[in-house]
Amino acid sequence: MAIEDRIREIEEEIKKTPYNKATSHHVGKLKAKLSKLKEDSLARSSSGSKGRGFNIKKSGDSTVVLLGFPSVGKSTILNQLTNAESKTGAYEFTTLDIVPGIMEYRGAKIQILDIPGIITGASKGKGRGREILSAARNADLILMVLDVFNPQHMNVIIDELRNIGIRPNESVPDVTVKPKKMGGLKVASTVELTKIDERTIRSILTEYGIHSADVLIRGDVTMDQFVDSMDSSCCYIPMLLIINKIDLADPDYIAEIKSKLPDALFIAADQGLNTEELKDDIFDALKLIRVYLKPQGRKTDMKDPLIIRKGSTVGDVAGRLHREFVRNFRHAKIWGNSVKFPGQKVGLDHVLDDEDILRIILKK
């Protein structure tokens, strides 16, 4: 039986099985089987896909993908955000390949990719859907773009993403499984597990061929999250929801959609309405910060900041500048919000903040 047929068969069995305490271990086993099959299917499609794939070289400080159904205005958004010139038109499938552009904002160069529109069933290969969706796997951020008159497409797109192992706006489950040669399964958790029991955990691990292991769970994970923790193909990517073409809808209708999707940003790309707010949201969602470098004996370069991830340390910056900077590091001086006073001396493990000024002093 083909993998896709087996996947459909297990999906149907899961739907038909009433979920309760008595059946949870069986459902867990089915979901583990399903996860393994999808992982295998994804690996096969990526290694032996027919036809031309979408290969884009990442550039800039981060990469963002515009994802949505055809004709939702992704190309117009790309043109508003970047220097790209993506074709636009009031008909479906205007973009037949990936069109890249660079958004220069707050000193950062952010790559924006306009990928072809997806359709229902994309994760199963319809309309080159697997190739299109897989382009999002390497992104640092997904911008899901919906037409204001079709907000229901959000759940369809999320399902398609989940089917190829993308977990938008989810955190990596804090689950550690250390297989052993003998001794059976030992399950420990730092909190009370209310959404999964030990019998279900054992059923899932048995499906993966693990009969002896030390399992440590930090957090009240669900069955799906535990299964995901065993799936190496899962990737966790932040996502912003964009509702476009609000200039075509009346205020009462827009108010209704806003009440249902309070976290979405509502824009009219054709009019440039709220596109500056979108740039802000993209920068913040990527968790980028700016650090200005002050070389010894010279003025601070306030025009060209170093763009790094929030949570980065002086050591991260030193290593990025030159490996000798870490080896010969003496101390650093910081001016900014991350220190108590201007010019404070810090070490390699000091965490930097946005718009800090950094001077690295090396051993002579």
Side-chain angles (χ1 to χ4, degrees), residues 335-353:
W335 292 260
N337 291 328
S338 71
V339 290
K340 295 178 181 178
F341 56 88
Q344 181 178 331
K345 287 184 180 181
V346 299
L348 287 171
D349 59 350
H350 179 80
V351 178
L352 295 158
D353 203 349

Side-chain angles (χ1 to χ4, degrees), residues 149-207:
F149 297 110
N150 291 296
Q152 73 278 4
H153 285 164
M154 179 185 71
N155 291 330
V156 176
I157 294 172
I158 288 176
D159 285 345
E160 298 293 345
L161 288 172
R162 291 190 62 81
N163 282 339
I164 66 158
I166 295 176
R167 302 292 182 259
N169 287 339
E170 292 186 27
S171 299
V172 180
D174 198 343
V175 176
T176 303
V177 178
K178 294 183 178 180
K180 303 183 296 185
K181 290 184 178 180
M182 59 183 67
L185 288 172
K186 295 180 180 178
V187 180
S189 61
T190 58
V191 299
E192 182 184 359
L193 299 179
T194 64
K195 301 164 187 172
I196 189 171
D197 57 29
E198 190 168 326
R199 187 183 179 193
T200 302
I201 291 170
R202 290 177 180 276
S203 294
I204 292 169
L205 292 177
T206 299
E207 191 58 38

Side-chain angles (χ1 to χ4, degrees), residues 283-313:
F283 190 92
D284 292 340
L286 288 168
K287 296 184 178 178
L288 300 177
I289 62 173
R290 298 156 290 179
V291 171
Y292 298 96
L293 301 178
K294 181 178 174 59
Q296 286 182 264
R298 289 156 56 188
K299 290 183 177 180
T300 304
D301 180 4
M302 299 300 294
K303 291 184 179 180
D304 190 17
L306 182 69
I307 304 298
I308 58 176
R309 296 280 176 180
K310 189 175 182 180
S312 295
T313 64

Side-chain angles (χ1 to χ4, degrees), residues 28-315:
K29 194 169 185 176
L30 290 173
K31 287 190 173 183
K33 283 183 180 179
L34 185 61
S35 178
K36 285 172 63 183
L37 286 169
K38 285 183 176 180
E39 185 178 3
D40 188 33
S41 177
L42 184 63
R44 289 190 183 189
S45 66
S46 61
S47 62
S49 58
K50 297 178 181 178
R52 183 170 55 88
F54 295 109
N55 293 313
I56 286 287
K57 182 179 180 181
K58 294 182 74 172
S59 66
D61 298 300
S62 289
T63 298
V64 178
V65 163
L66 290 162
L67 182 68
F69 273 61
S71 300
V72 294
K74 294 186 285 85
S75 297
T76 305
I77 293 172
L78 179 74
N79 295 340
Q80 286 280 357
L81 296 177
T82 75
N83 56 3
E85 293 184 2
S86 182
K87 293 179 181 179
T88 60
Y91 48 91
E92 294 189 349
F93 293 103
T94 309
T95 304
L96 299 176
D97 211 333
I98 292 181
V99 181
I102 294 292
M103 181 181 90
E104 297 188 14
Y105 192 65
R106 297 193 206 169
K109 291 179 173 63
I110 299 170
Q111 184 183 49
I112 312 286
L113 303 180
D114 177 18
I115 64 178
I118 66 168
I119 57 176
T120 303
S123 58
K124 294 179 173 61
K126 291 184 180 179
R128 298 178 73 188
R130 276 185 176 270
E131 298 167 60
I132 294 168
L133 289 170
S134 292
R137 290 182 63 87
N138 294 321
D140 300 300
L141 175 67
I142 295 171
L143 293 186
M144 184 198 293
V145 184
L146 302 179
D147 186 304
V148 69
F149 297 110
N150 291 296
Q152 73 278 4
H153 285 164
M154 179 185 71
N155 291 330
V156 176
I157 294 172
I158 288 176
D159 285 345
E160 298 293 345
L161 288 172
R162 291 190 62 81
N163 282 339
I164 66 158
I166 295 176
R167 302 292 182 259
N169 287 339
E170 292 186 27
S171 299
V172 180
D174 198 343
V175 176
T176 303
V177 178
K178 294 183 178 180
K180 303 183 296 185
K181 290 184 178 180
M182 59 183 67
L185 288 172
K186 295 180 180 178
V187 180
S189 61
T190 58
V191 299
E192 182 184 359
L193 299 179
T194 64
K195 301 164 187 172
I196 189 171
D197 57 29
E198 190 168 326
R199 187 183 179 193
T200 302
I201 291 170
R202 290 177 180 276
S203 294
I204 292 169
L205 292 177
T206 299
E207 191 58 38
Y208 281 93
I210 298 174
H211 304 282
S212 290
D214 289 327
V215 181
L216 177 60
I217 303 171
R218 297 183 179 91
D220 191 13
V221 299
T222 64
M223 180 192 299
D224 289 334
Q225 287 172 324
F226 189 86
V227 172
D228 284 348
S229 73
M230 303 298 296
D231 186 348
S232 61
S233 73
C234 284
C235 54
Y236 299 81
I237 305 174
M239 182 178 75
L240 293 177
L241 179 59
I242 313 300
I243 309 296
N244 192 24
K245 304 183 183 180
I246 62 171
D247 53 318
L248 303 179
D250 65 66
D252 289 340
Y253 175 77
I254 292 174
E256 180 186 346
I257 301 301
K258 282 185 176 181
S259 68
K260 295 177 181 177
L261 302 171
D263 295 328
L265 177 64
F266 288 69
I267 72 170
D270 270 339
Q271 312 297 322
L273 182 62
N274 290 339
T275 51
E276 287 302 310
E277 287 84 347
L278 177 55
K279 291 179 182 180
D280 268 333
D281 287 354
I282 290 171
F283 190 92
D284 292 340
L286 288 168
K287 296 184 178 178
L288 300 177
I289 62 173
R290 298 156 290 179
V291 171
Y292 298 96
L293 301 178
K294 181 178 174 59
Q296 286 182 264
R298 289 156 56 188
K299 290 183 177 180
T300 304
D301 180 4
M302 299 300 294
K303 291 184 179 180
D304 190 17
L306 182 69
I307 304 298
I308 58 176
R309 296 280 176 180
K310 189 175 182 180
S312 295
T313 64
V314 171

Side-chain angles (χ1 to χ4, degrees), residues 311-322:
S312 295
T313 64
V314 171
D316 294 328
V317 172
R320 182 168 162 181
L321 294 173
H322 198 287

